[in-house]
Amino acid sequence: MTSSPSTSATAPAGAEPAPGCRPAGPPAGGGPGGAAPSTAAARLFLPLIALCTAVTAANIYLAAPLLPLIAHDMGSTPSAVAWLASVAQLGYAAGLLFFAPLGDSVNRRRLVAVLSLVATAALLAAAASAGTGALAGAVLVASAATVVPQLLVPLVAERAPADRRARHVAAVIAGLFTGVVAARVLGGLAGQAFGWRTVFVGAAVLTAVLGLATAYILPVERRQRRGPLFAGLVAIPGVVRRSPDLWRACVRQAGMYGAWSALWTSLALLLTGDEGYGMTTAAAGLFGLFGLAASVVAPLAGGLVDRFGAAKVVRSAYALAALSVPLFWLGGRTMAALCAAAVLVHAALVASHVANQTLALTTTSAPATANTAYVVAGFAGGALASALAGPAFGHWGWGGVCAVAGAWLVLGWTATIVRPARTAR
Protein backbone atom coordinates (compact mmCIF):
# COMPACT_ATOMS: atom_id res chain seq x y z
CA MET A 1 0.00 0.00 0.00
CA THR A 2 1.54 3.11 -0.95
CA SER A 3 0.78 6.24 1.26
CA SER A 4 -1.41 8.93 -0.24
CA PRO A 5 0.66 12.10 -0.02
CA SER A 6 -2.16 14.57 -0.35
CA THR A 7 -2.81 14.69 3.33
CA SER A 8 0.78 15.40 4.20
CA ALA A 9 0.42 18.84 2.73
CA THR A 10 -3.04 19.83 3.77
CA ALA A 11 -5.33 19.50 6.77
CA PRO A 12 -9.11 19.52 6.88
CA ALA A 13 -10.65 22.89 6.18
CA GLY A 14 -10.84 25.08 9.23
CA ALA A 15 -8.48 22.92 11.27
CA GLU A 16 -5.38 24.28 12.93
CA PRO A 17 -2.13 22.67 11.83
CA ALA A 18 -0.81 20.12 14.26
CA PRO A 19 2.02 21.39 16.43
CA GLY A 20 5.28 21.07 14.59
CA CYS A 21 3.45 20.61 11.25
CA ARG A 22 3.44 24.13 9.86
CA PRO A 23 2.63 24.48 6.16
CA ALA A 24 5.84 25.28 4.38
CA GLY A 25 6.08 27.74 1.56
CA PRO A 26 8.64 27.47 -1.21
CA PRO A 27 11.99 27.70 0.51
CA ALA A 28 14.44 30.29 -0.59
CA GLY A 29 17.33 28.88 -2.46
CA GLY A 30 15.54 25.68 -3.42
CA GLY A 31 15.18 24.09 0.01
CA PRO A 32 16.38 24.23 3.54
CA GLY A 33 20.06 24.60 3.28
CA GLY A 34 19.87 23.71 -0.41
CA ALA A 35 21.09 25.37 -3.55
CA ALA A 36 18.63 26.70 -6.11
CA PRO A 37 18.16 24.32 -9.04
CA SER A 38 18.55 25.40 -12.64
CA THR A 39 15.51 26.54 -14.63
CA ALA A 40 15.49 23.28 -16.62
CA ALA A 41 15.72 21.20 -13.45
CA ALA A 42 12.91 23.22 -11.89
CA ARG A 43 10.65 22.45 -14.86
CA LEU A 44 11.48 18.74 -14.66
CA PHE A 45 11.19 18.54 -10.88
CA LEU A 46 7.50 17.64 -10.49
CA PRO A 47 7.01 15.48 -13.64
CA LEU A 48 10.15 13.46 -12.90
CA ILE A 49 9.21 12.88 -9.28
CA ALA A 50 5.70 11.77 -10.33
CA LEU A 51 7.20 9.35 -12.87
CA CYS A 52 9.75 8.07 -10.36
CA THR A 53 6.92 7.52 -7.87
CA ALA A 54 4.98 5.48 -10.45
CA VAL A 55 7.96 3.20 -11.16
CA THR A 56 8.90 2.64 -7.53
CA ALA A 57 5.29 1.99 -6.51
CA ALA A 58 5.03 -0.57 -9.33
CA ASN A 59 8.04 -2.47 -7.95
CA ILE A 60 6.11 -3.42 -4.81
CA TYR A 61 3.32 -5.11 -6.79
CA LEU A 62 5.46 -6.49 -9.61
CA ALA A 63 5.31 -10.14 -8.53
CA ALA A 64 1.53 -10.38 -8.02
CA PRO A 65 0.42 -10.64 -11.69
CA LEU A 66 3.41 -12.86 -12.51
CA LEU A 67 2.73 -15.56 -9.89
CA PRO A 68 1.37 -18.14 -12.39
CA LEU A 69 4.41 -17.67 -14.64
CA ILE A 70 6.84 -17.83 -11.71
CA ALA A 71 5.16 -20.99 -10.40
CA HIS A 72 5.38 -22.67 -13.81
CA ASP A 73 9.05 -21.75 -14.19
CA MET A 74 9.89 -22.95 -10.67
CA GLY A 75 7.97 -26.22 -11.07
CA SER A 76 5.42 -25.28 -8.42
CA THR A 77 1.76 -24.28 -8.15
CA PRO A 78 0.53 -20.67 -8.12
CA SER A 79 -0.92 -21.00 -4.62
CA ALA A 80 2.42 -22.31 -3.35
CA VAL A 81 4.27 -19.13 -4.44
CA ALA A 82 1.54 -16.64 -3.53
CA TRP A 83 3.50 -15.73 -0.39
CA LEU A 84 5.97 -13.83 -2.60
CA ALA A 85 3.44 -10.98 -2.77
CA SER A 86 3.46 -10.68 1.01
CA VAL A 87 7.27 -10.68 1.05
CA ALA A 88 7.22 -7.58 -1.15
CA GLN A 89 4.82 -5.82 1.21
CA LEU A 90 6.83 -6.77 4.29
CA GLY A 91 9.96 -5.49 2.60
CA TYR A 92 8.32 -2.16 1.86
CA ALA A 93 7.06 -1.90 5.44
CA ALA A 94 10.61 -2.53 6.70
CA GLY A 95 12.00 0.08 4.32
CA LEU A 96 9.46 2.60 5.53
CA LEU A 97 10.29 1.84 9.13
CA PHE A 98 14.03 2.31 8.74
CA PHE A 99 14.52 4.67 5.79
CA ALA A 100 11.50 7.01 5.59
CA PRO A 101 12.28 8.83 8.88
CA LEU A 102 15.80 9.56 7.56
CA GLY A 103 14.31 12.09 5.13
CA ASP A 104 14.22 14.62 7.97
CA SER A 105 17.84 14.19 8.99
CA VAL A 106 20.05 13.18 6.04
CA ASN A 107 20.77 14.39 2.51
CA ARG A 108 17.81 13.16 0.47
CA ARG A 109 19.69 13.54 -2.79
CA ARG A 110 22.31 10.99 -1.75
CA LEU A 111 19.77 8.72 -0.05
CA VAL A 112 17.53 8.56 -3.14
CA ALA A 113 20.51 7.67 -5.34
CA VAL A 114 21.74 4.93 -3.01
CA LEU A 115 18.30 3.38 -2.54
CA SER A 116 17.67 3.45 -6.29
CA LEU A 117 20.91 1.56 -6.97
CA VAL A 118 20.18 -0.99 -4.24
CA ALA A 119 16.68 -1.58 -5.65
CA THR A 120 18.13 -1.96 -9.15
CA ALA A 121 20.65 -4.56 -8.02
CA ALA A 122 17.98 -6.49 -6.12
CA LEU A 123 15.60 -6.52 -9.10
CA LEU A 124 18.38 -7.87 -11.32
CA ALA A 125 19.10 -10.53 -8.71
CA ALA A 126 15.41 -11.43 -8.71
CA ALA A 127 15.48 -11.86 -12.48
CA ALA A 128 18.43 -14.25 -12.15
CA SER A 129 16.96 -16.26 -9.25
CA ALA A 130 17.01 -20.03 -9.62
CA GLY A 131 14.59 -20.77 -6.79
CA THR A 132 11.79 -19.21 -4.77
CA GLY A 133 14.06 -18.64 -1.76
CA ALA A 134 16.52 -16.53 -3.71
CA LEU A 135 13.66 -14.73 -5.46
CA ALA A 136 11.99 -13.94 -2.13
CA GLY A 137 15.23 -12.51 -0.73
CA ALA A 138 15.75 -10.30 -3.77
CA VAL A 139 12.13 -9.10 -3.74
CA LEU A 140 12.45 -8.30 -0.03
CA VAL A 141 15.52 -6.11 -0.57
CA ALA A 142 14.11 -4.42 -3.67
CA SER A 143 10.87 -3.55 -1.88
CA ALA A 144 12.70 -2.25 1.19
CA ALA A 145 14.77 0.06 -1.01
CA THR A 146 11.81 1.32 -3.03
CA VAL A 147 10.58 3.82 -0.41
CA VAL A 148 11.72 6.78 -2.51
CA PRO A 149 8.17 8.29 -2.79
CA GLN A 150 7.97 8.68 0.98
CA LEU A 151 11.22 10.66 0.88
CA LEU A 152 10.07 12.91 -1.96
CA VAL A 153 6.46 13.73 -1.05
CA PRO A 154 7.41 16.06 1.84
CA LEU A 155 9.87 17.82 -0.47
CA VAL A 156 7.20 18.35 -3.14
CA ALA A 157 4.81 19.86 -0.59
CA GLU A 158 7.62 21.98 0.86
CA ARG A 159 8.74 23.47 -2.47
CA ALA A 160 5.31 24.03 -4.04
CA PRO A 161 3.86 27.58 -4.13
CA ALA A 162 1.21 27.93 -1.44
CA ASP A 163 -1.60 28.47 -3.96
CA ARG A 164 -0.64 25.36 -5.97
CA ARG A 165 0.56 22.98 -3.26
CA ALA A 166 -2.43 20.63 -3.44
CA ARG A 167 -2.16 20.35 -7.22
CA HIS A 168 1.54 19.52 -7.00
CA VAL A 169 0.95 16.81 -4.42
CA ALA A 170 -2.00 15.49 -6.46
CA ALA A 171 0.39 14.94 -9.36
CA VAL A 172 2.46 12.63 -7.18
CA ILE A 173 -0.69 10.77 -6.09
CA ALA A 174 -1.57 10.25 -9.75
CA GLY A 175 1.89 8.81 -10.34
CA LEU A 176 1.53 6.49 -7.37
CA PHE A 177 -1.81 4.99 -8.44
CA THR A 178 -0.68 4.81 -12.05
CA GLY A 179 2.30 2.74 -10.94
CA VAL A 180 0.12 0.30 -9.01
CA VAL A 181 -2.15 -0.19 -12.04
CA ALA A 182 0.79 -0.45 -14.44
CA ALA A 183 2.39 -3.18 -12.33
CA ARG A 184 -0.61 -5.43 -12.84
CA VAL A 185 -1.59 -4.48 -16.39
CA LEU A 186 1.75 -3.92 -18.11
CA GLY A 187 3.52 -6.48 -15.93
CA GLY A 188 1.00 -9.14 -16.90
CA LEU A 189 1.17 -8.28 -20.59
CA ALA A 190 4.97 -8.13 -20.71
CA GLY A 191 5.29 -11.28 -18.63
CA GLN A 192 3.04 -13.20 -21.00
CA ALA A 193 4.98 -11.96 -24.03
CA PHE A 194 8.58 -12.06 -22.81
CA GLY A 195 8.63 -13.99 -19.53
CA TRP A 196 8.58 -12.85 -15.91
CA ARG A 197 12.35 -12.45 -15.70
CA THR A 198 12.29 -9.84 -18.47
CA VAL A 199 9.74 -7.85 -16.47
CA PHE A 200 12.12 -7.68 -13.50
CA VAL A 201 15.00 -6.62 -15.75
CA GLY A 202 12.87 -3.87 -17.28
CA ALA A 203 11.84 -2.67 -13.82
CA ALA A 204 15.51 -2.58 -12.80
CA VAL A 205 16.45 -0.42 -15.79
CA LEU A 206 13.60 2.03 -15.18
CA THR A 207 14.39 2.22 -11.45
CA ALA A 208 18.05 3.03 -12.12
CA VAL A 209 17.39 5.63 -14.81
CA LEU A 210 14.55 7.45 -13.09
CA GLY A 211 15.97 7.11 -9.58
CA LEU A 212 19.34 8.60 -10.52
CA ALA A 213 17.75 11.29 -12.69
CA THR A 214 15.48 12.28 -9.79
CA ALA A 215 18.40 12.37 -7.37
CA TYR A 216 20.29 14.60 -9.81
CA ILE A 217 17.58 17.29 -9.93
CA LEU A 218 16.98 17.34 -6.17
CA PRO A 219 18.36 20.38 -4.35
CA VAL A 220 21.72 19.98 -2.63
CA GLU A 221 21.00 19.83 1.09
CA ARG A 222 23.49 20.68 3.81
CA ARG A 223 22.09 19.11 6.94
CA GLN A 224 23.61 18.57 10.32
CA ARG A 225 22.05 15.52 11.89
CA ARG A 226 21.33 15.77 15.59
CA GLY A 227 20.89 12.72 17.77
CA PRO A 228 21.02 9.04 16.76
CA LEU A 229 20.51 8.10 13.12
CA PHE A 230 17.32 6.15 13.84
CA ALA A 231 15.87 8.47 16.48
CA GLY A 232 12.63 8.71 14.48
CA LEU A 233 12.28 4.92 14.53
CA VAL A 234 12.76 4.77 18.29
CA ALA A 235 10.10 7.47 18.80
CA ILE A 236 7.32 5.63 16.93
CA PRO A 237 5.91 3.51 19.81
CA GLY A 238 5.64 6.53 22.11
CA VAL A 239 3.92 8.66 19.47
CA VAL A 240 1.34 5.93 18.79
CA ARG A 241 0.79 5.29 22.50
CA ARG A 242 0.11 8.95 23.22
CA SER A 243 -2.39 9.37 20.37
CA PRO A 244 -5.53 7.19 20.37
CA ASP A 245 -6.56 8.76 17.06
CA LEU A 246 -3.28 7.73 15.42
CA TRP A 247 -3.56 4.24 16.89
CA ARG A 248 -7.10 3.93 15.54
CA ALA A 249 -6.05 5.13 12.08
CA CYS A 250 -3.20 2.60 11.98
CA VAL A 251 -5.35 -0.37 12.99
CA ARG A 252 -8.29 0.50 10.75
CA GLN A 253 -6.09 0.98 7.72
CA ALA A 254 -4.27 -2.27 8.48
CA GLY A 255 -7.66 -4.01 8.41
CA MET A 256 -8.75 -2.29 5.20
CA TYR A 257 -5.46 -2.78 3.40
CA GLY A 258 -5.28 -6.38 4.56
CA ALA A 259 -8.71 -7.12 3.08
CA TRP A 260 -7.78 -5.45 -0.21
CA SER A 261 -4.41 -7.16 -0.32
CA ALA A 262 -5.78 -10.65 0.32
CA LEU A 263 -8.24 -10.25 -2.54
CA TRP A 264 -6.08 -8.38 -5.01
CA THR A 265 -2.86 -10.37 -4.68
CA SER A 266 -4.78 -13.65 -5.01
CA LEU A 267 -6.93 -12.53 -7.93
CA ALA A 268 -4.46 -13.80 -10.53
CA LEU A 269 -4.88 -17.30 -9.07
CA LEU A 270 -8.64 -17.16 -9.67
CA LEU A 271 -8.44 -15.56 -13.10
CA THR A 272 -5.75 -17.88 -14.52
CA GLY A 273 -6.61 -21.11 -12.68
CA ASP A 274 -8.24 -24.07 -14.39
CA GLU A 275 -10.96 -24.10 -11.74
CA GLY A 276 -11.45 -20.35 -12.17
CA TYR A 277 -11.69 -18.41 -15.42
CA GLY A 278 -8.70 -19.96 -17.23
CA MET A 279 -7.41 -16.64 -18.56
CA THR A 280 -3.91 -16.01 -19.80
CA THR A 281 -1.60 -13.95 -17.61
CA ALA A 282 -1.91 -11.04 -20.05
CA ALA A 283 -5.71 -11.08 -19.97
CA ALA A 284 -5.74 -11.36 -16.18
CA GLY A 285 -3.38 -8.39 -15.99
CA LEU A 286 -5.92 -6.20 -17.77
CA PHE A 287 -8.19 -6.69 -14.78
CA GLY A 288 -5.88 -4.29 -12.98
CA LEU A 289 -7.46 -1.41 -14.91
CA PHE A 290 -10.19 -1.45 -12.27
CA GLY A 291 -7.55 0.02 -9.98
CA LEU A 292 -8.04 3.33 -11.80
CA ALA A 293 -11.16 3.71 -9.67
CA ALA A 294 -8.80 4.74 -6.88
CA SER A 295 -7.51 7.68 -8.92
CA VAL A 296 -11.07 8.93 -9.45
CA VAL A 297 -12.13 8.51 -5.82
CA ALA A 298 -9.06 10.11 -4.20
CA PRO A 299 -9.98 13.78 -4.79
CA LEU A 300 -13.63 13.08 -3.95
CA ALA A 301 -12.61 11.45 -0.68
CA GLY A 302 -10.50 14.46 0.25
CA GLY A 303 -13.48 16.77 -0.18
CA LEU A 304 -15.69 14.49 1.89
CA VAL A 305 -13.14 14.39 4.71
CA ASP A 306 -12.99 18.20 4.71
CA ARG A 307 -16.77 18.45 4.84
CA PHE A 308 -17.87 15.56 7.05
CA GLY A 309 -14.76 14.53 8.99
CA ALA A 310 -12.48 11.51 8.81
CA ALA A 311 -14.57 9.21 11.02
CA LYS A 312 -17.67 9.29 8.78
CA VAL A 313 -15.62 8.66 5.65
CA VAL A 314 -13.86 5.68 7.24
CA ARG A 315 -17.21 4.20 8.33
CA SER A 316 -18.56 4.59 4.80
CA ALA A 317 -15.40 3.04 3.35
CA TYR A 318 -15.70 0.02 5.64
CA ALA A 319 -19.33 -0.38 4.58
CA LEU A 320 -18.28 -0.39 0.91
CA ALA A 321 -15.53 -2.92 1.61
CA ALA A 322 -17.95 -5.14 3.55
CA LEU A 323 -20.30 -5.06 0.56
CA SER A 324 -17.47 -5.96 -1.82
CA VAL A 325 -16.51 -9.19 0.00
CA PRO A 326 -19.70 -11.16 -0.80
CA LEU A 327 -19.55 -9.73 -4.32
CA PHE A 328 -16.00 -11.06 -4.65
CA TRP A 329 -17.21 -14.46 -3.43
CA LEU A 330 -20.00 -14.41 -6.00
CA GLY A 331 -17.41 -13.26 -8.53
CA GLY A 332 -15.75 -16.64 -8.28
CA ARG A 333 -18.50 -17.76 -10.66
CA THR A 334 -19.89 -14.53 -12.12
CA MET A 335 -17.63 -12.07 -13.91
CA ALA A 336 -20.04 -9.12 -13.54
CA ALA A 337 -19.98 -9.47 -9.75
CA LEU A 338 -16.17 -9.67 -9.80
CA CYS A 339 -15.95 -6.44 -11.80
CA ALA A 340 -18.34 -4.61 -9.48
CA ALA A 341 -16.44 -5.86 -6.43
CA ALA A 342 -13.12 -4.65 -7.87
CA VAL A 343 -14.49 -1.11 -8.26
CA LEU A 344 -16.02 -1.09 -4.78
CA VAL A 345 -12.92 -2.38 -2.98
CA HIS A 346 -10.66 0.19 -4.65
CA ALA A 347 -13.06 3.00 -3.80
CA ALA A 348 -13.18 1.77 -0.19
CA LEU A 349 -9.40 1.46 0.05
CA VAL A 350 -8.55 4.94 -1.20
CA ALA A 351 -11.37 6.67 0.74
CA SER A 352 -10.27 4.97 3.95
CA HIS A 353 -6.64 5.79 3.18
CA VAL A 354 -7.24 9.50 2.63
CA ALA A 355 -9.36 9.78 5.78
CA ASN A 356 -7.10 7.73 8.03
CA GLN A 357 -3.93 9.44 6.86
CA THR A 358 -5.47 12.85 7.38
CA LEU A 359 -6.23 11.79 10.94
CA ALA A 360 -2.75 10.36 11.43
CA LEU A 361 -0.95 13.46 10.19
CA THR A 362 -3.02 16.04 12.07
CA THR A 363 -3.29 14.44 15.49
CA THR A 364 0.30 14.56 16.77
CA SER A 365 3.16 17.03 17.03
CA ALA A 366 5.40 14.65 15.04
CA PRO A 367 3.67 14.17 11.66
CA ALA A 368 6.63 12.50 9.94
CA THR A 369 6.93 9.87 12.64
CA ALA A 370 3.14 9.44 12.71
CA ASN A 371 3.10 8.94 8.94
CA THR A 372 5.79 6.27 9.19
CA ALA A 373 3.80 4.42 11.88
CA TYR A 374 0.63 4.67 9.81
CA VAL A 375 2.06 3.38 6.54
CA VAL A 376 4.05 0.61 8.23
CA ALA A 377 0.93 -0.58 10.05
CA GLY A 378 -1.03 -0.67 6.81
CA PHE A 379 1.59 -2.62 4.91
CA ALA A 380 2.18 -5.02 7.78
CA GLY A 381 -1.54 -5.78 7.86
CA GLY A 382 -1.55 -6.24 4.11
CA ALA A 383 1.49 -8.52 4.12
CA LEU A 384 0.06 -10.79 6.81
CA ALA A 385 -3.30 -11.05 5.02
CA SER A 386 -1.54 -11.87 1.74
CA ALA A 387 0.51 -14.56 3.47
CA LEU A 388 -2.70 -16.18 4.75
CA ALA A 389 -4.60 -15.77 1.48
CA GLY A 390 -2.27 -18.08 -0.50
CA PRO A 391 -2.73 -21.14 1.76
CA ALA A 392 -6.44 -20.31 2.08
CA PHE A 393 -6.78 -20.45 -1.69
CA GLY A 394 -4.89 -23.75 -1.80
CA HIS A 395 -7.11 -25.38 0.85
CA TRP A 396 -10.53 -23.79 0.33
CA GLY A 397 -10.34 -22.06 -3.04
CA TRP A 398 -11.56 -18.53 -3.72
CA GLY A 399 -14.04 -18.72 -0.86
CA GLY A 400 -11.12 -19.08 1.56
CA VAL A 401 -9.55 -15.87 0.25
CA CYS A 402 -12.85 -14.01 0.71
CA ALA A 403 -13.05 -15.35 4.27
CA VAL A 404 -9.58 -13.94 5.04
CA ALA A 405 -10.61 -10.55 3.64
CA GLY A 406 -13.82 -10.51 5.67
CA ALA A 407 -11.96 -11.48 8.85
CA TRP A 408 -9.49 -8.64 8.34
CA LEU A 409 -12.28 -6.10 8.03
CA VAL A 410 -13.93 -7.39 11.21
CA LEU A 411 -10.63 -7.30 13.11
CA GLY A 412 -9.74 -3.83 11.85
CA TRP A 413 -13.04 -2.38 12.95
CA THR A 414 -13.77 -4.22 16.20
CA ALA A 415 -10.22 -3.78 17.53
CA THR A 416 -10.63 0.00 17.43
CA ILE A 417 -14.03 0.38 19.05
CA VAL A 418 -12.84 -0.92 22.42
CA ARG A 419 -10.41 1.95 23.01
CA PRO A 420 -12.06 5.33 23.69
CA ALA A 421 -10.91 8.32 21.70
CA ARG A 422 -9.35 11.24 23.51
CA THR A 423 -11.24 13.65 21.27
CA ALA A 424 -14.52 13.26 19.44
CA ARG A 425 -14.27 13.05 15.68
Side-chain angles (χ1 to χ4, degrees), residues 212-371:
L212 293 178
T214 301
Y216 178 77
I217 67 165
L218 292 181
V220 177
E221 297 174 304
R222 299 176 181 87
R223 290 179 167 180
Q224 292 184 347
R225 180 172 50 85
R226 299 175 181 177
L229 182 61
F230 294 108
L233 172 62
V234 175
I236 288 175
V239 171
V240 175
R241 188 172 56 251
R242 290 189 297 270
S243 175
D245 284 335
L246 173 59
W247 176 83
R248 184 180 295 103
C250 290
V251 175
R252 286 182 177 174
Q253 195 60 21
M256 177 67 73
Y257 186 65
W260 175 86
S261 186
L263 294 163
W264 207 242
T265 58
S266 305
L267 189 60
L269 307 180
L270 172 68
L271 294 175
T272 61
D274 293 335
E275 296 182 2
Y277 288 95
M279 294 182 178
T280 64
T281 302
L286 291 174
F287 209 84
L289 290 173
F290 285 106
L292 292 175
S295 300
V296 176
V297 170
L300 298 176
L304 291 174
V305 170
D306 287 339
R307 184 174 180 182
F308 299 108
K312 290 184 178 179
V313 174
V314 173
R315 283 197 294 269
S316 300
Y318 258 78
L320 281 179
L323 178 61
S324 76
V325 171
L327 281 175
F328 266 112
W329 175 77
L330 185 60
R333 302 179 299 276
T334 306
M335 177 58 71
L338 196 63
C339 294
V343 173
L344 285 180
V345 79
H346 278 94
L349 174 70
V350 73
S352 173
H353 181 41
V354 170
N356 280 320
Q357 194 176 33
T358 299
L359 195 59
L361 290 171
T362 57
T363 195
T364 76
S365 59
T369 303
N371 186 57

Side-chain angles (χ1 to χ4, degrees), residues 129-148:
S129 299
T132 55
L135 177 59
V139 167
L140 182 73
V141 174
S143 300
T146 195
V147 296
V148 169

Side-chain angles (χ1 to χ4, degrees), residues 57-83:
N59 289 342
I60 309 166
Y61 300 97
L62 203 59
L66 302 174
L67 290 176
L69 298 177
I70 293 172
H72 182 268
D73 193 33
M74 301 289 185
S76 183
T77 62
S79 60
V81 299
W83 57 275

